[in-house]
Amino acid sequence: METSPSNSTSKSVNPGQQGTMVRVDNRFVLGALIFALAWFVGFTFRTQSICTLGFLLAILGGMIGDKWRRRYVTSAGVVQRGIWGVLWRGMSMLVLIIGSLWVVFMWRMAHQVSESASLLLLTVDMIAHYGIAVLCILWSIWPQRGHVLMLLVALIVIVMTVAGGGVSTSLTAQTAVGLATVVGFVFAAQIILARQRHHVGSFDDGRLYFRSEVWPYALLILSVVLIGASTLVQVTDSLLPSVQAEVFAQLKDRFETADSSVPVSSGGYVSGSYLGNVQQIMLSDPNGLALRGYCAGVPGYLRGNVFDDYSQRNWKTRRRWLETDNNGQVRNLYRVKSSRPLSVARVPLKKPANRSRSRFSLSLWGADDVPRKFVGSVEIHGEPGKGTIIFLPATTMWMEARADTIGITSHGLVERGVDSSQPWVAGVAISPQRERLTAGELSLLTSVDPILADEIEKVADVVCRGADSPTAKVRRIADYFQKNYRYTLATESPPQGVDPIVHFLKTQHPAHCELFASAVALMLRTQGVPSRYVTGYVMDELSDSEDYYLARNRDAHAWVEYYDDQQQTWVSLESTPGREYQTLEIDNGTAQTTLADQRALELESATLGWLRRLWGSIVSLRVTDALSIVFRILQMPLLIGLVLWLWWRKRQIGGDAEAVALAAARRTMDRRMRRRGWNRRPSETLHQFADRLEQPAGKPDSEKERQKLAERAAAAQWYRVHAVELFRKSVAPANTADA
C-alpha cells in the first residue's frame, strides 16, 4: 500500500525545509580544517611538502576505508561488523598511531639531537608534526563524523606551532590567529559533537552533512566581532607596548630580587640583577649551551642586561626615554623606543632559518656625526627554552632578525619584538655610538646608595689618589682589583646586615665576577665617573667542527661600562682577575661601512627602496600575515557585502520564502539523482518521474541490486511528497482569497 504524504513527512524532514540549509559533506569540512592546520605547521617548520603528502595519504586511506565500510552497510544503513572486524579496526588504528610516532620521532628529532640543538624546540617540532599525523589517521578512519579526540589534538598542535614561532610577534597577527582558531574549533565541534544524520524524506544517502542553514548570519556576526576586536587591537597596539614593557620590567625585577637559595632562572639565560644570579647560572650546569655564534673572528663579550641603580644586593634599571614638550618639561617616560625596519635582511645566514628577516637600526639615542667603521657581523643562535633575551656586542650598529618592530631601551638593549627562536645577525662597528647624557642621567649614573657611599668612597679615594682624569681613575681601579684580588666561584657570605660589596672591599676575599663588576661600578661613581653594570656571556670557545663559536653557562659574566665624557661614548671595562675584555676583531677582508653609508641606507629605505621593500614583504608573507591582512583590511568590505547580500536575498525571496525553499530542495535532489544516473526530463512531471524510478529494470539478483531498488523507491516517495507540497502551496493563496 502506498504511503501517504502526511505519513511520510511525519517520519522524516519535510522536503520544503531542506532548502533552508546548504548541504556540505562533513568530509570536506573536516578535511579543509585539517589541511589548513597542516599547512600552518608545515609553513612554520618548513615542511609543507611532507605535511601535504601526509594529508593526501589520509584522503587515500579514507577512500579505501569508505569502500571497505560499504561492504558492511545494509540497505537500512546499519553497519554490521563482527567481533573480528572490530578487533581488526582497533589494531590497525593502534599500529598506525604508534608507527606514526616512531616515524615522526626519527624524522624530526632523532637525527637532529646534538650538543648545539635546543631539545625544547625539537620537542615542540615533533609534537606538532605528530599531532598532524594523528589527525590524518583519525580523519581517514572517521571521515564524516570525526572523533572527539581530534579537538584536543588540534588544540595541542596549534599551541605547539605557536610556541615554535608560527605566529608573528605583532598583536594584530596574534589576535587574527586566535579568532581563526576559535572559528575552526566551532565548526569542528559542530560536526564532531553533533553526529546527526540529515534525511531527505525517507531517502538517506548514508552521509553526514554540515548544518549551515544560518551561515550568512553567522558570517555577519563574525564580521562584527572582527571589527570590534580590530578596533580594540588598534587602540591597544598604540598604547600597550610601553605599558607592557613597564609591567614586565617590574615583574622581572620582582622575580629576580626574590632572596632564595634556588634561583628562579637557573635553567634560563643569565640576568644578574640579584648578586649571585650569575654565579648560580655558572654552577647549575656549567657545560649547558647558551648561545652559538657564526663569525669570522672571536665574537667576545655579548651584553644582554644593563643596570644603573644598586641597593640591597639588587641591580635595577631606572633610566628611561624622556618625552618633553616645547618648554623642556617631561611629559612621559618610556622604557623602550620603537625601531621600524630599514630594509629586508641583507646578510645571508650561515645556517639558514625558515623565516623572513628585516634590518633594524639600533642608533636611536644621542647624535653621532663621526663615521663608524664596520668591523663585521655575528650570526647568533639562541636557545628558546632559556628565554627571550637578545645578546649583542656593545658596538652593534644594526641587527637583522625576524621582527615587525623592535623596542630598544635607553641602554641600547633590544627589549621586545624579536623572535628569539630564530637566529639574529649583529652588524658591529669598531667604535661605540656617541651619546650625550642629560643632567638627570648623569645624576642617576653617578649616584650611590647613601648607606654604602661612605664605605665605598673611602676605598676609592685611596685607590685613585693622585689620578686627576676620569681615564686615570678608571685604570687605577681596574688595576687595583686585577693585582690585589683573586677569582673564585666559592665566595664567602657576608655577615648579617652587611652589604656584600662593602664586605668584599673590607676583607678582600676571593670572589666572582659579580662582586668585582659591582664594586668597580660603585667606586667609579663615587669618583664622579658615570658607570653601569652589565651582564651577558663571553663567546670565545670554538666548536669541535670549528664552524661556530659557543657560549656555555660557565661563560656567563658581569662587567662594567663607564662613560668617557671626552669622547661621549660608553667604554667596556674588565676588572675580574684573569679576564681581559675582548670584542669582535677587525676583519681586513670585510668591506668598510661608514655612518654615511648607514644614512644612505635609511634614505634609500624611505624613498627609492620602497619597491624593493614591498617586494620583500610580499615574498616573505607568512600564514599569519595573510590572516592579519584579512583581519585589518577586508573586515569592513566583508560586513558591507554581507549586509547588501542579505538585503538582496530578502527582496528576492519576499513573501514567497517557502516556494524558494521548495525549489532549492528539488534542485538538490535532482543533482543527487543525476549522480546516480537518473535524469528527470524537462517534460516529465514529478509523479511521472517517480513512477519511472519505481519501474524495475529486472529482477534483482544481488543484495546490491536490491539496495539500489530500495533507494529508488525512497527517492520516488520523496518526489511524490514534494509534489503534494507544491500543490498545497499553489492552493493556499486561493483559499486565502476565498476566505
Side-chain angles (χ1 to χ4, degrees):
M1 182 177 178
E2 184 176 338
T3 306
S4 65
S6 58
N7 293 336
S8 176
T9 54
S10 64
K11 297 179 181 179
S12 60
V13 178
N14 192 310
Q17 295 175 352
Q18 300 301 316
T20 60
M21 69 171 68
V22 177
R23 297 170 60 80
V24 181
D25 198 324
N26 282 352
R27 292 177 296 182
F28 300 122
V29 179
L30 283 177
L33 293 175
I34 295 175
F35 180 76
L37 191 55
W39 184 258
F40 184 33
V41 172
F43 200 91
T44 300
F45 300 101
R46 295 193 70 184
T47 56
Q48 298 101 315
S49 57
I50 303 298
C51 290
T52 304
L53 177 61
F55 180 78
L56 295 177
L57 290 176
I59 294 178
L60 180 61
M63 293 173 61
I64 296 174
D66 187 62
K67 185 176 181 180
W68 181 267
R69 281 188 298 271
R70 287 182 181 274
R71 298 176 57 182
Y72 300 98
V73 179
T74 66
S75 59
V78 180
V79 179
Q80 291 183 342
R81 188 182 293 113
I83 183 64
W84 294 111
V86 174
L87 289 176
W88 170 256
R89 184 179 185 181
M91 290 299 297
S92 301
M93 184 176 67
L94 185 62
V95 169
L96 286 173
I97 290 179
I98 296 177
S100 63
L101 176 61
W102 181 81
V103 171
V104 172
F105 175 79
M106 298 300 296
W107 170 43
R108 301 305 301 169
M109 195 168 184
H111 300 298
Q112 301 187 48
V113 175
S114 63
E115 182 183 32
S116 59
S118 170
L119 185 61
L120 179 62
L121 187 59
L122 289 177
T123 303
V124 166
D125 185 320
M126 192 196 77
I127 293 175
H129 286 91
Y130 180 59
I132 292 297
V134 171
L135 287 174
C136 289
I137 292 172
L138 295 176
W139 182 56
S140 64
I141 297 175
W142 292 284
Q144 296 186 23
R145 61 188 177 93
H147 193 278
V148 69
L149 188 61
M150 297 173 70
L151 298 176
L152 177 61
V153 174
L155 289 179
I156 294 175
V157 169
I158 292 172
V159 171
M160 293 297 104
T161 308
V162 171
V167 180
S168 171
T169 55
S170 69
L171 188 60
T172 303
Q174 294 170 2
T175 308
V177 170
L179 286 173
T181 301
V182 171
V183 172
F185 188 85
V186 169
F187 283 163
Q190 178 181 344
I191 295 172
I192 295 172
L193 300 181
R195 296 186 177 183
Q196 179 180 356
R197 286 184 179 274
H198 302 285
H199 301 270
V200 181
S202 60
F203 175 73
D204 179 19
D205 63 356
R207 297 181 183 178
L208 295 166
Y209 293 93
F210 179 75
R211 296 187 61 84
S212 54
E213 59 269 26
V214 294
W215 67 268
Y217 302 97
L219 284 179
L220 182 63
I221 295 174
L222 176 61
S223 180
V224 174
V225 171
L226 281 175
I227 293 177
S230 179
T231 303
L232 181 62
V233 167
Q234 296 297 328
V235 173
T236 55
D237 203 21
S238 60
L239 302 178
L240 187 61
S242 58
V243 177
Q244 186 183 47
E246 284 295 334
V247 171
F248 277 105
Q250 294 180 19
L251 290 176
K252 183 179 178 183
D253 291 340
R254 292 285 189 273
F255 281 115
E256 291 174 346
T257 55
D259 190 359
S260 173
S261 59
V262 180
V264 174
S265 57
S266 60
Y269 284 130
V270 62
S271 172
S273 63
Y274 178 78
L275 288 186
N277 285 162
V278 177
Q279 177 193 28
Q280 291 167 335
I281 287 289
M282 299 174 71
L283 293 175
S284 61
D285 181 16
N287 293 322
L289 186 64
L291 300 167
R292 285 177 293 143
Y294 294 82
C295 186
V298 178
Y301 283 43
L302 303 177
R303 60 208 294 265
N305 295 278
V306 177
F307 306 96
D308 52 37
D309 181 63
Y310 177 83
S311 64
Q312 299 179 353
R313 303 181 66 175
N314 291 288
W315 280 98
K316 299 180 181 179
T317 301
R318 291 175 51 197
R319 188 183 178 194
R320 299 289 188 269
W321 293 104
L322 301 179
E323 179 186 6
T324 58
D325 55 22
N326 296 332
N327 299 324
Q329 299 295 322
V330 176
R331 296 177 53 187
N332 209 338
L333 296 175
Y334 295 98
R335 181 176 176 84
V336 297
K337 182 179 288 187
S338 296
S339 176
R340 299 191 178 277
L342 296 174
S343 66
V344 296
R346 299 183 175 184
V347 179
L349 296 177
K350 298 293 190 303
K351 185 176 181 181
N354 60 339
R355 287 292 175 267
S356 59
R357 298 174 298 119
S358 302
R359 176 174 291 193
F360 300 86
S361 172
L362 301 189
S363 303
L364 298 184
W365 59 95
D368 198 347
D369 53 2
V370 178
R372 301 172 67 197
K373 292 185 178 180
F374 178 77
V375 175
S377 61
V378 185
E379 178 183 324
I380 302 174
H381 294 249
E383 296 294 313
K386 287 182 173 290
T388 58
I389 300 178
I390 303 299
F391 295 89
L392 297 169
T395 57
T396 300
M397 294 190 298
W398 47 260
M399 72 173 299
E400 294 180 349
R402 184 198 175 204
D404 299 320
T405 301
I406 65 175
I408 303 175
T409 70
S410 57
H411 291 304
L413 301 175
V414 178
E415 181 77 8
R416 62 174 176 82
V418 174
D419 182 359
S420 59
S421 67
Q422 303 296 321
W424 60 91
V425 177
V428 185
I430 193 174
S431 59
Q433 172 77 26
R434 292 188 64 191
E435 180 180 1
R436 297 187 181 96
L437 298 181
T438 64
E441 291 169 335
L442 285 171
S443 176
L444 170 64
L445 294 165
T446 55
S447 63
V448 180
D449 190 341
I451 300 176
L452 312 175
D454 291 340
E455 296 291 345
I456 296 176
E457 189 173 3
K458 289 177 183 178
V459 180
D461 288 342
V462 174
V463 174
C464 297
R465 185 176 298 147
D468 298 329
S469 66
T471 303
K473 294 178 181 179
V474 169
R475 194 70 267 157
R476 287 277 189 92
I477 293 176
D479 290 343
Y480 170 73
F481 287 102
Q482 290 274 4
K483 295 177 180 178
N484 298 287
Y485 285 76
R486 290 187 301 110
Y487 176 83
T488 183
L489 284 174
T491 185
E492 65 180 67
S493 301
Q496 186 70 25
V498 178
D499 188 87
I501 298 177
V502 173
H503 179 67
F504 172 58
L505 293 176
K506 284 184 176 181
T507 63
Q508 297 186 3
H509 63 77
H512 49 82
C513 58
E514 294 168 276
L515 289 175
F516 285 104
S518 299
V520 169
L522 297 183
M523 288 175 66
L524 287 174
R525 291 186 174 197
T526 62
Q527 301 301 305
V529 180
S531 60
R532 55 195 187 189
Y533 177 77
V534 186
T535 61
Y537 290 91
V538 181
M539 182 181 285
D540 57 3
E541 177 189 349
L542 193 61
S543 65
D544 294 337
S545 61
E546 299 186 354
D547 293 334
Y548 54 88
Y549 289 88
L550 299 174
R552 304 181 185 272
N553 288 342
R554 63 170 178 253
D555 299 316
H557 194 50
W559 64 96
V560 175
E561 290 178 353
Y562 71 91
Y563 184 71
D564 186 339
D565 58 351
Q566 297 296 322
Q567 299 295 325
Q568 294 185 334
T569 58
W570 286 96
V571 183
S572 299
L573 175 66
E574 181 58 86
S575 59
T576 302
R579 283 281 193 181
E580 182 178 354
Y581 182 81
Q582 55 182 330
T583 186
L584 184 63
E585 300 173 354
I586 298 178
D587 182 5
N588 294 327
T590 303
Q592 301 297 306
T593 302
T594 64
L595 180 64
D597 298 326
Q598 193 70 12
R599 289 176 175 170
L601 175 63
E602 297 180 14
L603 180 61
E604 176 192 9
S605 174
T607 55
L608 301 179
W610 68 270
L611 184 59
R612 181 174 56 192
R613 289 190 293 114
L614 177 61
W615 174 249
S617 301
I618 295 174
V619 172
S620 61
L621 274 178
R622 294 165 287 187
V623 175
T624 55
D625 295 329
L627 286 175
S628 299
I629 293 174
V630 174
F631 185 64
R632 281 184 170 180
I633 301 175
L634 300 183
Q635 47 190 294
M636 186 58 71
L638 175 64
L639 176 63
I640 296 174
L642 281 172
V643 171
L644 293 177
W645 185 81
L646 288 173
W647 174 78
W648 173 84
R649 180 186 177 189
K650 185 176 180 180
R651 289 199 60 183
Q652 290 292 319
I653 295 176
D656 206 13
E658 188 176 355
V660 174
L662 288 170
R666 186 170 63 257
R667 287 193 297 269
T668 301
M669 194 62 178
D670 287 343
R671 285 194 298 268
R672 184 169 301 134
M673 297 311 299
R674 282 196 296 270
R675 288 197 295 268
R676 286 163 171 76
W678 291 86
N679 297 323
R680 186 165 65 90
R681 304 184 187 98
S683 60
E684 199 172 27
T685 66
L686 296 178
H687 284 284
Q688 290 172 343
F689 184 49
D691 293 339
R692 186 159 61 90
L693 286 174
E694 289 182 330
Q695 293 177 1
K699 186 177 180 180
D701 298 329
S702 63
E703 178 65 26
K704 187 175 182 180
E705 292 294 332
R706 284 191 292 271
Q707 182 178 354
K708 288 184 177 180
L709 183 60
E711 290 179 354
R712 290 201 301 271
Q717 179 65 15
W718 186 93
Y719 278 104
R720 291 192 178 95
V721 173
H722 189 75
V724 173
E725 292 293 332
L726 288 176
F727 177 75
R728 290 175 179 173
K729 173 63 182 173
S730 61
V731 172
N735 293 338
T736 304
D738 294 340

